[in-house]
Amino acid sequence: TGWQDPLQAYWAADLLLMPSLYEGYGMVAAESLASGCPVYMTRTGGYRDMVLESKTGFISPSIEIDG
């Protein structure tokens, strides 16, 4: 079963977490913000410009991982 309509999932959520280290453009983040669900994301990719800090979501510094 699961969610038939993604919009219902965004409405039911308190927050969308986007922990990506690399991301071009996050369509999921855009959909979440359009539905009114705030986003917590790392400062990567093109979607970082979508979030207004502390208004529509939160931006975390990028995570450095030593290989």
Side-chain angles (χ1 to χ4, degrees), residues 2-30:
W3 296 99
Q4 298 300 315
D5 180 6
L7 189 56
Q8 292 177 7
Y10 296 127
W11 286 339
D14 293 320
L15 178 75
L16 174 74
L17 179 62
M18 295 284 295
S20 302
L21 296 177
Y22 305 100
E23 187 79 44
Y25 181 82
M27 184 59 77
V28 172

Side-chain angles (χ1 to χ4, degrees), residues 26-64:
M27 184 59 77
V28 172
E31 291 172 346
S32 179
L33 290 168
S35 74
C37 180
V39 177
Y40 185 92
M41 62 178 63
T42 54
R43 187 178 302 281
T44 59
Y47 63 71
R48 67 178 174 249
D49 295 330
M50 287 189 251
V51 171
L52 299 173
E53 184 70 34
S54 299
K55 293 185 187 231
T56 60
F58 305 93
I59 301 173
S60 172
S62 295
I63 301 167
E64 297 294 327

